[in-house]
Amino acid sequence: MRRRELVAALPAVAVAGCTIGGDPPSADGGDFSLEIPGVGGELPERYTCDGVGESPPLRAEQVPEGAAAIAVAGEWLRGYTPQTIWLLWGLPADDPFELPAGIPSGERVETPIEAIQGTNDEERVGYRSPCHETADDQAYRFIAFALPEPLDIAPGAGRDAFDDAIERDLSNVSTTTVQVRYERFEEPD
């Protein structure tokens, strides 16, 4: 079972600032956090298939010292196996790190920020906007990885290659997540 499937099978716990595979983060990296600016727990329609479908902005703060790059994975928390909706890496480890909304599709992005994107679970490169077709499975998660060095994988790579590259040295990888819901269907009266 891949690590992401194991994490998805666990009950929801606070994972912000955790270090995967190693000791808990030290005080200098323990406050690593991720948010979608201006968004509470509900993903606005503009970032979904019912709106423009553009990727949401992300902001990471307290990026751990020593991080050389940031990578991002977006997931639809559907059942026990999350579905990958976005893979993005080659991002600077700025503190704070700010990713603007509307990252265009394509393996290599040059504007509004330089980045590399991978293939989502629909076999498309770039962001796949949330578009579930039932009232269930409305949760989505974005994970930021603070990495000791940039990922060395080909543009357009899939989730397995992405995870394998991150898992090479888990003791030096810090992660933080933000989870949101997209209430696409109204509850029946």
Side-chain angles (χ1 to χ4, degrees), residues 68-100:
I70 291 180
V72 172
E75 299 176 329
W76 174 23
L77 301 179
R78 180 180 182 199
Y80 289 107
T81 305
Q83 301 291 306
T84 300
I85 63 170
W86 199 18
L87 296 174
L88 186 69
W89 63 92
L91 300 165
D94 297 338
D95 188 17
F97 168 73
E98 296 192 35
L99 182 69

PDB file of all heavy atoms in Angstrom, residues 68-100:
ATOM      1  N   ALA A  68      14.892  23.345   0.057  1.00  0.00           N
ATOM      2  CA  ALA A  68      15.409  23.873  -1.204  1.00  0.00           C
ATOM      3  C   ALA A  68      14.311  24.043  -2.243  1.00  0.00           C
ATOM      4  O   ALA A  68      14.496  24.764  -3.218  1.00  0.00           O
ATOM      5  CB  ALA A  68      16.496  22.952  -1.751  1.00  0.00           C
ATOM      6  N   ALA A  69      13.199  23.359  -2.046  1.00  0.00           N
ATOM      7  CA  ALA A  69      12.114  23.412  -3.030  1.00  0.00           C
ATOM      8  C   ALA A  69      10.814  22.994  -2.363  1.00  0.00           C
ATOM      9  O   ALA A  69      10.799  22.350  -1.317  1.00  0.00           O
ATOM     10  CB  ALA A  69      12.414  22.485  -4.205  1.00  0.00           C
ATOM     11  N   ILE A  70       9.720  23.358  -3.020  1.00  0.00           N
ATOM     12  CA  ILE A  70       8.389  22.950  -2.571  1.00  0.00           C
ATOM     13  C   ILE A  70       7.712  22.208  -3.716  1.00  0.00           C
ATOM     14  O   ILE A  70       7.870  22.558  -4.886  1.00  0.00           O
ATOM     15  CB  ILE A  70       7.542  24.160  -2.135  1.00  0.00           C
ATOM     16  CG1 ILE A  70       8.132  24.741  -0.836  1.00  0.00           C
ATOM     17  CG2 ILE A  70       6.075  23.794  -1.946  1.00  0.00           C
ATOM     18  CD1 ILE A  70       7.403  25.933  -0.296  1.00  0.00           C
ATOM     19  N   ALA A  71       6.983  21.175  -3.352  1.00  0.00           N
ATOM     20  CA  ALA A  71       6.148  20.434  -4.299  1.00  0.00           C
ATOM     21  C   ALA A  71       4.733  20.425  -3.729  1.00  0.00           C
ATOM     22  O   ALA A  71       4.541  20.532  -2.515  1.00  0.00           O
ATOM     23  CB  ALA A  71       6.663  19.015  -4.484  1.00  0.00           C
ATOM     24  N   VAL A  72       3.749  20.300  -4.606  1.00  0.00           N
ATOM     25  CA  VAL A  72       2.342  20.312  -4.187  1.00  0.00           C
ATOM     26  C   VAL A  72       1.618  19.145  -4.845  1.00  0.00           C
ATOM     27  O   VAL A  72       1.821  18.861  -6.027  1.00  0.00           O
ATOM     28  CB  VAL A  72       1.654  21.636  -4.600  1.00  0.00           C
ATOM     29  CG1 VAL A  72       0.154  21.587  -4.358  1.00  0.00           C
ATOM     30  CG2 VAL A  72       2.276  22.824  -3.877  1.00  0.00           C
ATOM     31  N   ALA A  73       0.772  18.486  -4.066  1.00  0.00           N
ATOM     32  CA  ALA A  73      -0.130  17.464  -4.595  1.00  0.00           C
ATOM     33  C   ALA A  73      -1.543  17.847  -4.174  1.00  0.00           C
ATOM     34  O   ALA A  73      -1.776  18.238  -3.033  1.00  0.00           O
ATOM     35  CB  ALA A  73       0.213  16.078  -4.062  1.00  0.00           C
ATOM     36  N   GLY A  74      -2.486  17.758  -5.104  1.00  0.00           N
ATOM     37  CA  GLY A  74      -3.893  17.965  -4.805  1.00  0.00           C
ATOM     38  C   GLY A  74      -4.591  16.630  -4.916  1.00  0.00           C
ATOM     39  O   GLY A  74      -4.306  15.852  -5.832  1.00  0.00           O
ATOM     40  N   GLU A  75      -5.504  16.353  -3.980  1.00  0.00           N
ATOM     41  CA  GLU A  75      -6.184  15.061  -3.962  1.00  0.00           C
ATOM     42  C   GLU A  75      -7.679  15.224  -3.718  1.00  0.00           C
ATOM     43  O   GLU A  75      -8.102  16.079  -2.940  1.00  0.00           O
ATOM     44  CB  GLU A  75      -5.625  14.175  -2.844  1.00  0.00           C
ATOM     45  CG  GLU A  75      -4.169  13.855  -2.987  1.00  0.00           C
ATOM     46  CD  GLU A  75      -3.626  13.069  -1.820  1.00  0.00           C
ATOM     47  OE1 GLU A  75      -4.094  13.226  -0.672  1.00  0.00           O
ATOM     48  OE2 GLU A  75      -2.694  12.280  -2.056  1.00  0.00           O
ATOM     49  N   TRP A  76      -8.431  14.377  -4.366  1.00  0.00           N
ATOM     50  CA  TRP A  76      -9.855  14.219  -4.090  1.00  0.00           C
ATOM     51  C   TRP A  76      -9.928  13.036  -3.149  1.00  0.00           C
ATOM     52  O   TRP A  76      -9.493  11.928  -3.488  1.00  0.00           O
ATOM     53  CB  TRP A  76     -10.590  13.952  -5.386  1.00  0.00           C
ATOM     54  CG  TRP A  76     -12.054  13.619  -5.259  1.00  0.00           C
ATOM     55  CD1 TRP A  76     -12.890  13.926  -4.225  1.00  0.00           C
ATOM     56  CD2 TRP A  76     -12.849  12.935  -6.217  1.00  0.00           C
ATOM     57  NE1 TRP A  76     -14.162  13.483  -4.480  1.00  0.00           N
ATOM     58  CE2 TRP A  76     -14.159  12.862  -5.709  1.00  0.00           C
ATOM     59  CE3 TRP A  76     -12.585  12.381  -7.461  1.00  0.00           C
ATOM     60  CZ2 TRP A  76     -15.202  12.250  -6.388  1.00  0.00           C
ATOM     61  CZ3 TRP A  76     -13.622  11.774  -8.136  1.00  0.00           C
ATOM     62  CH2 TRP A  76     -14.913  11.709  -7.605  1.00  0.00           C
ATOM     63  N   LEU A  77     -10.441  13.257  -1.954  1.00  0.00           N
ATOM     64  CA  LEU A  77     -10.477  12.205  -0.933  1.00  0.00           C
ATOM     65  C   LEU A  77     -11.696  11.320  -1.152  1.00  0.00           C
ATOM     66  O   LEU A  77     -12.696  11.405  -0.456  1.00  0.00           O
ATOM     67  CB  LEU A  77     -10.465  12.828   0.458  1.00  0.00           C
ATOM     68  CG  LEU A  77      -9.247  13.699   0.731  1.00  0.00           C
ATOM     69  CD1 LEU A  77      -9.319  14.295   2.125  1.00  0.00           C
ATOM     70  CD2 LEU A  77      -7.963  12.935   0.516  1.00  0.00           C
ATOM     71  N   ARG A  78     -11.554  10.467  -2.131  1.00  0.00           N
ATOM     72  CA  ARG A  78     -12.646   9.596  -2.547  1.00  0.00           C
ATOM     73  C   ARG A  78     -12.358   8.181  -2.067  1.00  0.00           C
ATOM     74  O   ARG A  78     -11.433   7.534  -2.542  1.00  0.00           O
ATOM     75  CB  ARG A  78     -12.742   9.617  -4.063  1.00  0.00           C
ATOM     76  CG  ARG A  78     -13.829   8.758  -4.600  1.00  0.00           C
ATOM     77  CD  ARG A  78     -13.861   8.827  -6.096  1.00  0.00           C
ATOM     78  NE  ARG A  78     -14.959   8.013  -6.567  1.00  0.00           N
ATOM     79  CZ  ARG A  78     -15.068   7.567  -7.787  1.00  0.00           C
ATOM     80  NH1 ARG A  78     -14.147   7.859  -8.671  1.00  0.00           N
ATOM     81  NH2 ARG A  78     -16.096   6.845  -8.138  1.00  0.00           N
ATOM     82  N   GLY A  79     -13.147   7.708  -1.116  1.00  0.00           N
ATOM     83  CA  GLY A  79     -12.949   6.357  -0.597  1.00  0.00           C
ATOM     84  C   GLY A  79     -11.596   6.229   0.077  1.00  0.00           C
ATOM     85  O   GLY A  79     -11.080   7.149   0.676  1.00  0.00           O
ATOM     86  N   TYR A  80     -11.001   5.033  -0.025  1.00  0.00           N
ATOM     87  CA  TYR A  80      -9.722   4.785   0.630  1.00  0.00           C
ATOM     88  C   TYR A  80      -8.532   5.168  -0.220  1.00  0.00           C
ATOM     89  O   TYR A  80      -7.418   5.225   0.262  1.00  0.00           O
ATOM     90  CB  TYR A  80      -9.603   3.306   1.031  1.00  0.00           C
ATOM     91  CG  TYR A  80     -10.522   2.955   2.163  1.00  0.00           C
ATOM     92  CD1 TYR A  80     -11.659   2.197   1.955  1.00  0.00           C
ATOM     93  CD2 TYR A  80     -10.264   3.414   3.445  1.00  0.00           C
ATOM     94  CE1 TYR A  80     -12.510   1.885   2.992  1.00  0.00           C
ATOM     95  CE2 TYR A  80     -11.107   3.121   4.490  1.00  0.00           C
ATOM     96  CZ  TYR A  80     -12.227   2.345   4.259  1.00  0.00           C
ATOM     97  OH  TYR A  80     -13.062   2.056   5.286  1.00  0.00           O
ATOM     98  N   THR A  81      -8.726   5.392  -1.473  1.00  0.00           N
ATOM     99  CA  THR A  81      -7.620   5.754  -2.352  1.00  0.00           C
ATOM    100  C   THR A  81      -7.848   7.152  -2.898  1.00  0.00           C
ATOM    101  O   THR A  81      -8.713   7.360  -3.743  1.00  0.00           O
ATOM    102  CB  THR A  81      -7.497   4.751  -3.523  1.00  0.00           C
ATOM    103  OG1 THR A  81      -7.372   3.440  -3.000  1.00  0.00           O
ATOM    104  CG2 THR A  81      -6.293   5.088  -4.385  1.00  0.00           C
ATOM    105  N   PRO A  82      -7.070   8.124  -2.422  1.00  0.00           N
ATOM    106  CA  PRO A  82      -7.239   9.479  -2.950  1.00  0.00           C
ATOM    107  C   PRO A  82      -6.972   9.517  -4.453  1.00  0.00           C
ATOM    108  O   PRO A  82      -6.099   8.809  -4.951  1.00  0.00           O
ATOM    109  CB  PRO A  82      -6.178  10.294  -2.209  1.00  0.00           C
ATOM    110  CG  PRO A  82      -5.758   9.460  -1.059  1.00  0.00           C
ATOM    111  CD  PRO A  82      -6.010   8.047  -1.422  1.00  0.00           C
ATOM    112  N   GLN A  83      -7.723  10.335  -5.139  1.00  0.00           N
ATOM    113  CA  GLN A  83      -7.516  10.542  -6.571  1.00  0.00           C
ATOM    114  C   GLN A  83      -6.686  11.814  -6.743  1.00  0.00           C
ATOM    115  O   GLN A  83      -7.039  12.863  -6.199  1.00  0.00           O
ATOM    116  CB  GLN A  83      -8.859  10.711  -7.287  1.00  0.00           C
ATOM    117  CG  GLN A  83      -9.794   9.532  -7.125  1.00  0.00           C
ATOM    118  CD  GLN A  83      -9.286   8.322  -7.866  1.00  0.00           C
ATOM    119  OE1 GLN A  83      -9.006   8.387  -9.046  1.00  0.00           O
ATOM    120  NE2 GLN A  83      -9.174   7.211  -7.164  1.00  0.00           N
ATOM    121  N   THR A  84      -5.612  11.719  -7.486  1.00  0.00           N
ATOM    122  CA  THR A  84      -4.731  12.872  -7.684  1.00  0.00           C
ATOM    123  C   THR A  84      -5.371  13.836  -8.683  1.00  0.00           C
ATOM    124  O   THR A  84      -5.703  13.454  -9.793  1.00  0.00           O
ATOM    125  CB  THR A  84      -3.352  12.412  -8.200  1.00  0.00           C
ATOM    126  OG1 THR A  84      -2.788  11.536  -7.228  1.00  0.00           O
ATOM    127  CG2 THR A  84      -2.433  13.597  -8.432  1.00  0.00           C
ATOM    128  N   ILE A  85      -5.521  15.089  -8.242  1.00  0.00           N
ATOM    129  CA  ILE A  85      -6.075  16.109  -9.126  1.00  0.00           C
ATOM    130  C   ILE A  85      -5.017  17.118  -9.564  1.00  0.00           C
ATOM    131  O   ILE A  85      -5.258  17.907 -10.473  1.00  0.00           O
ATOM    132  CB  ILE A  85      -7.285  16.838  -8.499  1.00  0.00           C
ATOM    133  CG1 ILE A  85      -6.895  17.601  -7.239  1.00  0.00           C
ATOM    134  CG2 ILE A  85      -8.417  15.856  -8.222  1.00  0.00           C
ATOM    135  CD1 ILE A  85      -7.982  18.528  -6.699  1.00  0.00           C
ATOM    136  N   TRP A  86      -3.816  17.073  -8.948  1.00  0.00           N
ATOM    137  CA  TRP A  86      -2.788  18.036  -9.313  1.00  0.00           C
ATOM    138  C   TRP A  86      -1.443  17.614  -8.761  1.00  0.00           C
ATOM    139  O   TRP A  86      -1.345  17.201  -7.595  1.00  0.00           O
ATOM    140  CB  TRP A  86      -3.154  19.398  -8.740  1.00  0.00           C
ATOM    141  CG  TRP A  86      -2.503  20.587  -9.340  1.00  0.00           C
ATOM    142  CD1 TRP A  86      -1.875  20.694 -10.542  1.00  0.00           C
ATOM    143  CD2 TRP A  86      -2.440  21.890  -8.749  1.00  0.00           C
ATOM    144  NE1 TRP A  86      -1.430  21.974 -10.745  1.00  0.00           N
ATOM    145  CE2 TRP A  86      -1.770  22.737  -9.657  1.00  0.00           C
ATOM    146  CE3 TRP A  86      -2.892  22.422  -7.561  1.00  0.00           C
ATOM    147  CZ2 TRP A  86      -1.541  24.077  -9.405  1.00  0.00           C
ATOM    148  CZ3 TRP A  86      -2.675  23.758  -7.308  1.00  0.00           C
ATOM    149  CH2 TRP A  86      -2.009  24.573  -8.218  1.00  0.00           C
ATOM    150  N   LEU A  87      -0.410  17.729  -9.568  1.00  0.00           N
ATOM    151  CA  LEU A  87       0.977  17.555  -9.145  1.00  0.00           C
ATOM    152  C   LEU A  87       1.770  18.736  -9.679  1.00  0.00           C
ATOM    153  O   LEU A  87       1.705  19.052 -10.867  1.00  0.00           O
ATOM    154  CB  LEU A  87       1.568  16.257  -9.705  1.00  0.00           C
ATOM    155  CG  LEU A  87       0.933  14.957  -9.215  1.00  0.00           C
ATOM    156  CD1 LEU A  87       1.522  13.765  -9.971  1.00  0.00           C
ATOM    157  CD2 LEU A  87       1.127  14.792  -7.715  1.00  0.00           C
ATOM    158  N   LEU A  88       2.513  19.371  -8.811  1.00  0.00           N
ATOM    159  CA  LEU A  88       3.252  20.576  -9.164  1.00  0.00           C
ATOM    160  C   LEU A  88       4.548  20.580  -8.362  1.00  0.00           C
ATOM    161  O   LEU A  88       4.525  20.347  -7.153  1.00  0.00           O
ATOM    162  CB  LEU A  88       2.393  21.789  -8.793  1.00  0.00           C
ATOM    163  CG  LEU A  88       2.833  23.185  -9.159  1.00  0.00           C
ATOM    164  CD1 LEU A  88       2.778  23.390 -10.666  1.00  0.00           C
ATOM    165  CD2 LEU A  88       1.931  24.204  -8.469  1.00  0.00           C
ATOM    166  N   TRP A  89       5.680  20.793  -9.014  1.00  0.00           N
ATOM    167  CA  TRP A  89       6.943  20.820  -8.279  1.00  0.00           C
ATOM    168  C   TRP A  89       7.909  21.794  -8.942  1.00  0.00           C
ATOM    169  O   TRP A  89       7.570  22.459  -9.906  1.00  0.00           O
ATOM    170  CB  TRP A  89       7.536  19.416  -8.150  1.00  0.00           C
ATOM    171  CG  TRP A  89       7.917  18.741  -9.433  1.00  0.00           C
ATOM    172  CD1 TRP A  89       9.144  18.781 -10.047  1.00  0.00           C
ATOM    173  CD2 TRP A  89       7.092  17.913 -10.251  1.00  0.00           C
ATOM    174  NE1 TRP A  89       9.118  18.033 -11.204  1.00  0.00           N
ATOM    175  CE2 TRP A  89       7.878  17.480 -11.353  1.00  0.00           C
ATOM    176  CE3 TRP A  89       5.761  17.487 -10.184  1.00  0.00           C
ATOM    177  CZ2 TRP A  89       7.379  16.660 -12.360  1.00  0.00           C
ATOM    178  CZ3 TRP A  89       5.268  16.667 -11.189  1.00  0.00           C
ATOM    179  CH2 TRP A  89       6.063  16.258 -12.250  1.00  0.00           C
ATOM    180  N   GLY A  90       9.109  21.886  -8.351  1.00  0.00           N
ATOM    181  CA  GLY A  90      10.088  22.848  -8.842  1.00  0.00           C
ATOM    182  C   GLY A  90       9.788  24.254  -8.363  1.00  0.00           C
ATOM    183  O   GLY A  90      10.228  25.237  -8.953  1.00  0.00           O
ATOM    184  N   LEU A  91       9.046  24.347  -7.280  1.00  0.00           N
ATOM    185  CA  LEU A  91       8.644  25.641  -6.729  1.00  0.00           C
ATOM    186  C   LEU A  91       9.685  26.135  -5.730  1.00  0.00           C
ATOM    187  O   LEU A  91      10.301  25.336  -5.025  1.00  0.00           O
ATOM    188  CB  LEU A  91       7.281  25.503  -6.039  1.00  0.00           C
ATOM    189  CG  LEU A  91       6.147  25.039  -6.947  1.00  0.00           C
ATOM    190  CD1 LEU A  91       4.955  24.574  -6.129  1.00  0.00           C
ATOM    191  CD2 LEU A  91       5.755  26.143  -7.904  1.00  0.00           C
ATOM    192  N   PRO A  92       9.885  27.442  -5.632  1.00  0.00           N
ATOM    193  CA  PRO A  92      10.880  27.967  -4.694  1.00  0.00           C
ATOM    194  C   PRO A  92      10.435  27.771  -3.248  1.00  0.00           C
ATOM    195  O   PRO A  92       9.247  27.792  -2.941  1.00  0.00           O
ATOM    196  CB  PRO A  92      10.948  29.451  -5.056  1.00  0.00           C
ATOM    197  CG  PRO A  92       9.615  29.759  -5.649  1.00  0.00           C
ATOM    198  CD  PRO A  92       9.192  28.502  -6.364  1.00  0.00           C
ATOM    199  N   ALA A  93      11.404  27.608  -2.373  1.00  0.00           N
ATOM    200  CA  ALA A  93      11.111  27.416  -0.948  1.00  0.00           C
ATOM    201  C   ALA A  93      11.114  28.756  -0.226  1.00  0.00           C
ATOM    202  O   ALA A  93      11.736  28.925   0.816  1.00  0.00           O
ATOM    203  CB  ALA A  93      12.121  26.457  -0.333  1.00  0.00           C
ATOM    204  N   ASP A  94      10.411  29.720  -0.783  1.00  0.00           N
ATOM    205  CA  ASP A  94      10.303  31.040  -0.168  1.00  0.00           C
ATOM    206  C   ASP A  94       9.450  30.944   1.090  1.00  0.00           C
ATOM    207  O   ASP A  94       8.582  30.081   1.210  1.00  0.00           O
ATOM    208  CB  ASP A  94       9.630  32.026  -1.133  1.00  0.00           C
ATOM    209  CG  ASP A  94      10.429  32.242  -2.404  1.00  0.00           C
ATOM    210  OD1 ASP A  94      11.650  31.999  -2.396  1.00  0.00           O
ATOM    211  OD2 ASP A  94       9.822  32.639  -3.417  1.00  0.00           O
ATOM    212  N   ASP A  95       9.684  31.855   2.024  1.00  0.00           N
ATOM    213  CA  ASP A  95       8.860  31.911   3.226  1.00  0.00           C
ATOM    214  C   ASP A  95       8.411  33.356   3.430  1.00  0.00           C
ATOM    215  O   ASP A  95       9.248  34.218   3.701  1.00  0.00           O
ATOM    216  CB  ASP A  95       9.633  31.424   4.442  1.00  0.00           C
ATOM    217  CG  ASP A  95       8.738  31.286   5.662  1.00  0.00           C
ATOM    218  OD1 ASP A  95       7.492  31.245   5.491  1.00  0.00           O
ATOM    219  OD2 ASP A  95       9.257  31.217   6.781  1.00  0.00           O
ATOM    220  N   PRO A  96       7.138  33.648   3.241  1.00  0.00           N
ATOM    221  CA  PRO A  96       6.091  32.698   2.856  1.00  0.00           C
ATOM    222  C   PRO A  96       6.184  32.355   1.368  1.00  0.00           C
ATOM    223  O   PRO A  96       6.695  33.133   0.572  1.00  0.00           O
ATOM    224  CB  PRO A  96       4.799  33.434   3.162  1.00  0.00           C
ATOM    225  CG  PRO A  96       5.158  34.884   3.002  1.00  0.00           C
ATOM    226  CD  PRO A  96       6.600  35.009   3.427  1.00  0.00           C
ATOM    227  N   PHE A  97       5.656  31.190   1.054  1.00  0.00           N
ATOM    228  CA  PHE A  97       5.557  30.763  -0.336  1.00  0.00           C
ATOM    229  C   PHE A  97       4.144  31.075  -0.803  1.00  0.00           C
ATOM    230  O   PHE A  97       3.183  30.702  -0.144  1.00  0.00           O
ATOM    231  CB  PHE A  97       5.833  29.269  -0.475  1.00  0.00           C
ATOM    232  CG  PHE A  97       5.451  28.749  -1.842  1.00  0.00           C
ATOM    233  CD1 PHE A  97       6.219  29.065  -2.947  1.00  0.00           C
ATOM    234  CD2 PHE A  97       4.300  28.006  -2.024  1.00  0.00           C
ATOM    235  CE1 PHE A  97       5.853  28.638  -4.212  1.00  0.00           C
ATOM    236  CE2 PHE A  97       3.931  27.561  -3.280  1.00  0.00           C
ATOM    237  CZ  PHE A  97       4.707  27.884  -4.376  1.00  0.00           C
ATOM    238  N   GLU A  98       4.020  31.762  -1.943  1.00  0.00           N
ATOM    239  CA  GLU A  98       2.700  32.101  -2.465  1.00  0.00           C
ATOM    240  C   GLU A  98       2.571  31.626  -3.897  1.00  0.00           C
ATOM    241  O   GLU A  98       3.355  32.013  -4.759  1.00  0.00           O
ATOM    242  CB  GLU A  98       2.472  33.607  -2.370  1.00  0.00           C
ATOM    243  CG  GLU A  98       2.453  34.059  -0.917  1.00  0.00           C
ATOM    244  CD  GLU A  98       1.956  35.464  -0.725  1.00  0.00           C
ATOM    245  OE1 GLU A  98       1.059  35.876  -1.481  1.00  0.00           O
ATOM    246  OE2 GLU A  98       2.447  36.129   0.184  1.00  0.00           O
ATOM    247  N   LEU A  99       1.594  30.759  -4.123  1.00  0.00           N
ATOM    248  CA  LEU A  99       1.292  30.250  -5.451  1.00  0.00           C
ATOM    249  C   LEU A  99       0.032  30.961  -5.932  1.00  0.00           C
ATOM    250  O   LEU A  99      -1.015  30.870  -5.278  1.00  0.00           O
ATOM    251  CB  LEU A  99       1.053  28.735  -5.392  1.00  0.00           C
ATOM    252  CG  LEU A  99       0.765  28.037  -6.707  1.00  0.00           C
ATOM    253  CD1 LEU A  99       2.020  28.029  -7.583  1.00  0.00           C
ATOM    254  CD2 LEU A  99       0.316  26.603  -6.450  1.00  0.00           C
ATOM    255  N   PRO A 100       0.097  31.679  -7.028  1.00  0.00           N
ATOM    256  CA  PRO A 100      -1.098  32.384  -7.497  1.00  0.00           C
ATOM    257  C   PRO A 100      -2.143  31.425  -8.065  1.00  0.00           C
ATOM    258  O   PRO A 100      -1.827  30.290  -8.431  1.00  0.00           O
ATOM    259  CB  PRO A 100      -0.554  33.313  -8.585  1.00  0.00           C
ATOM    260  CG  PRO A 100       0.717  32.691  -9.040  1.00  0.00           C
ATOM    261  CD  PRO A 100       1.258  31.901  -7.881  1.00  0.00           C
TER     262      PRO A 100
END
